Amino acid sequence: MTPQMLVYDDFDQRGQARWMSYVMHFHRVDYRSPVINTDRLGFRLSHGADDHASAGGKPADGPIRLLAGSSMAMGIGATCDQATLASRLWTTHAPALPWLNFAGRSHSSAQELLLFLFYRHLLPPVEEIVIVSGLNNLALARLPAAQRGDDGAFFNCGDFFGQMDKLKSQYRTHPFGSGASPTGGDEPVRPLEVRIADAAALTVRHLESWQQLAAATDTRITFVLQPLATWVRETAAPQEKRLFDELDKISNFWELFGDIATRDSARRYAELLQLGCEKIDVRFLDINPLLATSVKDDSWLFVNRAHMTDHGLDLVARMLAEQLNFSS
């Protein structure tokens, strides 16, 4: 049903991961396939009606619009580069300016911000920045305090801290070691309300830094709470149910993320994000209720609970253009 996901599996091989200073992990560089292609830095190519561009590849004439965020924004699930959010906006729904794909797979809000900080010098003038994200911060909020630190956890941080602990153990001289592991051991998962509040506060804190970086050039920032299948509707479309049932045989989604996957959790999270964004003058949009009221029950939107089909991505691109007045 979703053969393109085999390509994404190859693209995301842990043994081929690109480890970067500070950002930690980013995409494989110069990756080529019929499904996904990246430039010399790992940014995914985006396409307009008769052109293509990327931050580290073929430059786009400014001013431009930037599509940032995590894997949904990057386009995991799309059958080709032309079907991603950035490409659908550039090609059809908001074609007045080029859209560059500046999103990173599995990135937290801290990594999204650092990516912009490190590579903004490569960009032409940016008129708008739309950040489609939010799920990862909430998912990562369940990790132990030692892994979250001051700026939030990141995916695969267990590998990082485990290796760092091994390295430090080489220099310890105390005969009884240094005590508990920094990975958090059996620390209990915090209550849901605490995790929702912390994830929202961390996201808003990093959005304020985006806002300050962009203020000098009058670039407008919009944060969009990304869609999740269970945030959009309680009953999956027939194709989605087949896929989700199959994925549940090989994953522990409900054990890890069941409490944050409810529509009530999404509502509470969105309310806190909206309040925070209003305080720092960042536009906010929750795309989930818009999708819920705009699609039929049998509309196939998701390839897994966090990533969308070409049809789903096109719907979100159209809604972004309409809701954020990008139709021109």
Side-chain angles (χ1 to χ4, degrees):
M1 294 174 66
T2 56
Q4 71 272 23
M5 299 308 287
L6 292 174
V7 179
Y8 289 112
D9 285 345
D10 177 74
F11 174 73
D12 203 37
Q13 282 187 47
R14 294 287 296 279
Q16 300 293 328
R18 179 188 176 201
W19 289 93
M20 296 175 59
S21 299
Y22 309 106
V23 176
M24 301 306 295
H25 55 83
F26 194 45
H27 313 137
R28 294 170 64 176
V29 303
D30 293 323
Y31 188 85
R32 295 290 176 265
S33 77
V35 174
I36 178 172
N37 297 273
T38 60
D39 62 25
R40 64 182 178 86
L41 297 175
F43 289 99
R44 188 170 191 172
L45 277 58
S46 58
H47 289 257
D50 54 8
D51 202 2
H52 70 275
S54 66
K58 183 177 182 291
D61 294 330
I64 63 163
R65 290 166 174 160
L66 208 63
L67 197 289
S70 53
S71 57
M72 185 269 168
M74 185 261 204
I76 301 299
T79 59
C80 59
D81 296 329
Q82 290 86 343
T84 62
L85 282 181
S87 293
R88 296 307 300 148
L89 286 164
W90 186 3
T91 302
T92 301
H93 300 295
L97 296 176
W99 285 82
L100 295 192
N101 192 327
F102 215 78
R105 183 167 195 180
S106 300
H107 273 188
S108 67
S109 62
Q111 291 166 306
E112 293 163 0
L113 173 62
L114 286 171
L115 198 66
F116 179 66
L117 179 65
F118 291 157
Y119 290 120
R120 62 194 291 260
H121 67 285
L122 298 177
L123 299 172
V126 179
E127 183 177 283
E128 304 268 357
I129 299 175
V130 178
I131 305 167
V132 182
S133 190
L135 174 61
N136 289 349
N137 272 15
L138 187 54
L140 291 165
R142 70 176 287 112
L143 292 179
Q147 293 186 6
R148 296 194 314 273
D150 296 326
D151 294 294
F154 55 91
F155 284 102
N156 302 324
C157 65
D159 291 346
F160 172 80
F161 287 115
Q163 291 300 318
M164 290 301 102
D165 198 35
K166 289 180 182 178
L167 181 63
K168 287 190 292 184
S169 68
Q170 298 176 20
Y171 300 99
R172 292 175 184 146
T173 57
H174 194 285
F176 299 105
S178 63
S181 167
T183 57
D186 296 325
E187 179 181 321
V189 176
R190 299 178 300 164
L192 177 61
E193 285 296 328
V194 174
R195 285 180 278 141
I196 290 175
D198 279 4
L202 185 67
T203 302
V204 172
R205 173 154 64 90
H206 291 145
L207 284 172
E208 187 171 16
S209 294
W210 277 92
Q211 183 76 308
Q212 292 171 347
L213 286 169
T217 54
D218 294 323
T219 301
R220 185 164 57 174
I221 307 286
T222 301
F223 182 80
V224 179
L225 180 58
Q226 68 187 90
L228 182 71
T230 52
W231 289 352
V232 173
R233 54 191 176 191
E234 295 179 354
T235 303
Q239 299 94 329
E240 294 170 355
K241 186 177 187 310
R242 288 176 61 191
L243 289 167
F244 299 168
D245 287 348
E246 190 71 20
L247 290 169
D248 286 344
K249 296 176 183 177
I250 58 174
S251 71
N252 53 352
F253 176 86
W254 291 110
E255 178 184 348
L256 293 177
F257 308 120
D259 56 356
I260 67 170
T262 67
R263 298 180 77 178
D264 182 62
S265 294
R267 177 188 56 79
R268 287 182 281 170
Y269 190 34
E271 288 173 353
L272 291 176
L273 287 168
Q274 182 169 9
L275 286 172
C277 286
E278 288 173 353
K279 291 179 181 179
I280 61 173
D281 197 26
V282 167
R283 288 198 301 178
F284 173 79
L285 176 66
D286 181 1
I287 206 73
N288 290 279
L290 294 174
L291 279 171
T293 58
S294 301
V295 298
K296 298 179 180 179
D297 291 342
D298 60 353
S299 295
W300 183 14
L301 303 180
F302 291 88
V303 297
N304 56 40
R305 291 183 177 90
H307 303 112
M308 306 192 83
T309 62
D310 290 359
H311 174 57
L313 289 166
D314 187 66
L315 280 176
V316 171
R318 175 172 61 80
M319 290 178 178
L320 291 178
E322 293 172 353
Q323 296 293 320
L324 304 177
N325 298 317
F326 287 149
S327 55
S328 61

